Amino acid sequence: MTASNERLPRLLALVPYLLNRPAITVKEAAADFGITPKQLRKDLELLWMCGLPGYGPGDLIDLSFEGETITVSFDAGMNRPLRLTAAEAASLLVALRALADTPGVVDTDAVQRALAKIESAVGKAQPAGMVVGLGAFERGETAEVRAAVQDAVKRERAVRIRYYSQSHDAMSDRVVDPMRLLLVEGRGYLEAWCRSALGVRLFRLDRIDDVEVLDEPSSPPPHARLTDTSEGLFQPRDDQKIAVLLLEPDAHWVAEYYPVDHAAELSDGRTRVLMRYDDPSWMVRLLLGLGGDVHVEQPAELADEVTRQAREALMRADHLLSTQDV
């Protein structure tokens, strides 16, 4: 692997790594990545020039590493670790199991914890080719979250949750007033009055990263009404756009994770889906994240926009890497 090919995955992993280790020293971070402190400082200097479209103050990643410690002030959305494909996860599990059985391993507890986390993310029932996301919103509903939410509903207490929003592709902290728990199409939801959105919202339990039951009563306003789910949770609307997507086997999880109108498995292992969307920018982000595992058949304007943004991102990455001393 060339120096540039080694560096790009490291750059993508650095920000979520640093966010989870506030005020870590340059020396410690460099050791974890297997590079010198000098190389790490070069990586951090490069990240300073990366960020959101606009690329002005407030758009670029902001880090502080003048002293011996590193602090991330603004992550520009790079706050989640890279996902593993099913093949990568399987290889990692095999290696970890072999390591766990090797005499003389210093920290067997750490190996077992890593095994348990990855096995939980993969899930015994997932089909081959599933993309394994280790983020909280893709790990599946946890017993701790369900128990806390059930307790809040039963005792009519408000809760503070950290929630992943699919439409914005971001985590947010909210205080909500629980109204009920319900199961729709095999998934658990908390229906609650959201004090931030000032409206009734359905929160998928498997997208709640953290929950705290507060010592105050749940008090949705009198005009708050429960959602009618008798004909399903997501009702199609005439004003929604429809994308026709051809998914490679490793992207088949999209048809199970997101609501789709239709999914047809083809003889070559690929899947064609019809997927409704309101926000074109959200759909473009989703498709860019799938890389070569998806082909946009319709609409043409969506395919063109994905292609345009992908080319621009590659050109920026190539320019930034070529101008740095690696």
Side-chain angles (χ1 to χ4, degrees):
M1 181 180 289
T2 66
S4 295
N5 287 341
E6 290 176 349
R7 194 181 192 192
L8 183 56
R10 187 170 70 242
L11 290 170
L12 294 172
L14 258 174
V15 175
Y17 165 87
L18 294 171
L19 286 172
N20 284 311
R21 297 161 180 80
I24 191 172
T25 67
V26 172
K27 184 177 180 180
E28 290 173 325
D32 282 350
F33 280 91
I35 58 177
T36 66
K38 180 180 179 181
Q39 180 62 61
L40 179 62
R41 289 184 182 275
K42 289 182 179 180
D43 289 348
L44 296 174
E45 289 169 358
L46 178 55
L47 284 173
W48 254 342
M49 296 184 285
C50 301
L52 300 171
Y55 307 105
D59 300 318
L60 301 178
I61 294 171
D62 191 9
L63 309 118
S64 172
F65 54 95
E66 293 299 326
E68 291 303 313
T69 60
I70 311 169
T71 302
V72 179
S73 304
F74 178 62
D75 58 46
M78 293 180 62
N79 52 12
R80 289 185 285 131
L82 297 174
R83 294 182 303 181
L84 301 175
T85 65
E88 290 169 336
S91 298
L92 188 55
L93 285 172
V94 170
L96 284 171
R97 286 171 182 148
L99 187 61
D101 294 335
T102 302
V105 173
V106 176
D107 194 349
T108 55
D109 287 342
V111 175
Q112 293 297 338
R113 287 195 300 272
L115 267 171
K117 183 175 182 179
I118 297 173
E119 287 174 341
S120 175
V122 173
K124 294 181 179 179
Q126 287 184 356
M130 174 75 81
V131 170
V132 182
L134 299 184
F137 51 89
E138 289 174 328
R139 71 186 175 196
E141 177 186 314
T142 68
E144 293 80 2
V145 165
R146 172 168 281 276
V149 170
Q150 284 178 327
D151 177 59
V153 172
K154 181 179 180 180
R155 297 195 295 119
E156 298 184 346
R157 290 289 182 268
V159 296
R160 179 180 288 108
I161 62 174
R162 184 163 177 76
Y163 188 72
Y164 169 70
S165 171
Q166 169 191 310
S167 60
H168 295 93
D169 190 28
M171 301 292 287
S172 62
D173 294 303
R174 313 170 184 227
V175 175
V176 303
D177 298 290
M179 298 166 66
R180 63 171 173 169
L181 268 175
L182 65 160
L183 184 68
V184 181
E185 298 173 355
R187 292 192 176 99
Y189 292 84
L190 166 65
E191 186 164 21
W193 175 265
C194 178
R195 298 183 187 179
S196 300
L198 297 179
V200 176
R201 296 291 186 269
L202 287 165
F203 300 100
R204 268 179 54 168
L205 298 189
D206 61 345
R207 292 179 181 164
I208 297 178
D209 185 42
D210 188 42
V211 57
E212 176 190 0
V213 181
L214 303 178
D215 190 21
E216 61 177 280
S218 174
S219 53
H223 63 272
R225 295 290 181 268
L226 297 176
T227 303
D228 180 7
T229 61
S230 59
E231 296 185 7
L233 191 60
F234 301 99
Q235 298 300 315
R237 304 193 314 271
D238 292 339
D239 61 338
Q240 289 177 311
K241 300 177 178 64
I242 299 178
V244 181
L245 309 176
L246 192 60
L247 305 174
E248 296 294 332
D250 275 351
H252 179 74
W253 63 272
V254 172
E256 300 178 352
Y257 190 72
Y258 297 105
V260 297
D261 280 10
H262 178 71
E265 294 190 16
L266 308 181
S267 58
D268 59 3
R270 295 186 295 176
T271 305
R272 178 175 286 110
V273 301
L274 274 63
M275 187 172 177
R276 292 178 180 267
Y277 62 100
D278 295 301
D279 183 359
S281 63
W282 173 84
M283 177 59 82
V284 170
R285 289 198 304 271
L286 171 66
L287 298 174
L288 287 173
L290 294 172
D293 285 335
V294 63
H295 173 70
V296 183
E297 295 187 329
Q298 294 180 26
E301 58 268 24
L302 177 62
D304 292 342
E305 182 62 16
V306 171
T307 301
R308 184 187 69 80
Q309 291 198 26
R311 285 175 176 167
E312 288 185 356
L314 288 172
M315 290 174 62
R316 288 195 299 269
D318 183 63
H319 174 72
L320 289 172
L321 289 172
S322 65
T323 57
Q324 293 295 306
D325 178 14
V326 297

